[in-house]
């Protein structure tokens, strides 16, 4: 969701670009569905970012509490930046 919001796309626009249903994208964003490699590749193509970056965001939630890792640190900072952008975008609407 944060990547989509960063690109200022609605759920419908994103679903259309990904060639997926709106409900499926919603389920991905809420964590009710897991993305396949095909879906990750679609996201990477649509948002012009490497699959590895998408995986880094997803992987961040799997680290055990208290883990010290540069990958976790970077992922947390990137997520905070995207959340901040989402907040700013919501205030402008």
């Amino acid at each position: 969701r944060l990547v989509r919001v960063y690109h200022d796309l609605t759920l419908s626009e994103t679903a259309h670009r990904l060639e997926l249903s709106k409900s499926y994208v919603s389920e991905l964003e809420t964590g009710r569905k897991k993305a396949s490699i095909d879906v990750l590749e679609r996201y990477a193509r649509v948002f012009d970012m490497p699959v590895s970056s998408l995986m880094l965001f997803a992987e961040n939630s799997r680290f055990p509490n208290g883990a010290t890792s540069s990958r976790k640190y970077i992922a947390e900072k990137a997520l905070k930046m995207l959340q901040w952008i989402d907040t700013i975008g919501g205030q402008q609407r």
Side-chain angles (χ1 to χ4, degrees):
R1 179 184 180 279
L2 292 173
V3 175
R4 171 180 63 79
V5 171
Y6 172 78
H7 288 275
D8 198 30
L9 294 173
T10 66
L11 187 65
S12 295
E13 291 168 329
T14 303
H16 177 74
R17 289 183 185 196
L18 293 170
E19 298 177 355
L20 298 169
S21 73
K22 185 175 153 184
S23 62
Y24 185 74
V25 173
S26 176
E27 289 178 306
L28 289 171
E29 290 185 0
T30 59
R32 285 179 278 174
K33 296 268 188 198
K34 301 287 183 196
S36 66
I37 294 298
D38 175 60
V39 170
L40 287 173
E41 287 173 345
R42 289 179 191 209
Y43 268 87
R45 185 181 68 250
V46 167
F47 293 111
D48 192 28
M49 60 190 298
V51 171
S52 60
S53 294
L54 293 167
M55 296 299 292
L56 183 63
F57 289 129
E59 202 173 89
N60 181 48
S61 64
R62 294 188 196 130
F63 281 100
N65 288 340
T68 56
S69 164
S70 60
R71 291 176 65 190
K72 181 181 179 194
Y73 177 79
I74 292 167
E76 286 175 347
K77 293 298 179 188
L79 285 171
K80 284 181 182 180
M81 178 190 70
L82 291 172
Q83 288 168 339
W84 176 78
I85 290 169
D86 182 29
T87 302
I88 298 300
Q91 292 173 358
Q92 294 176 355
R93 291 180 185 154

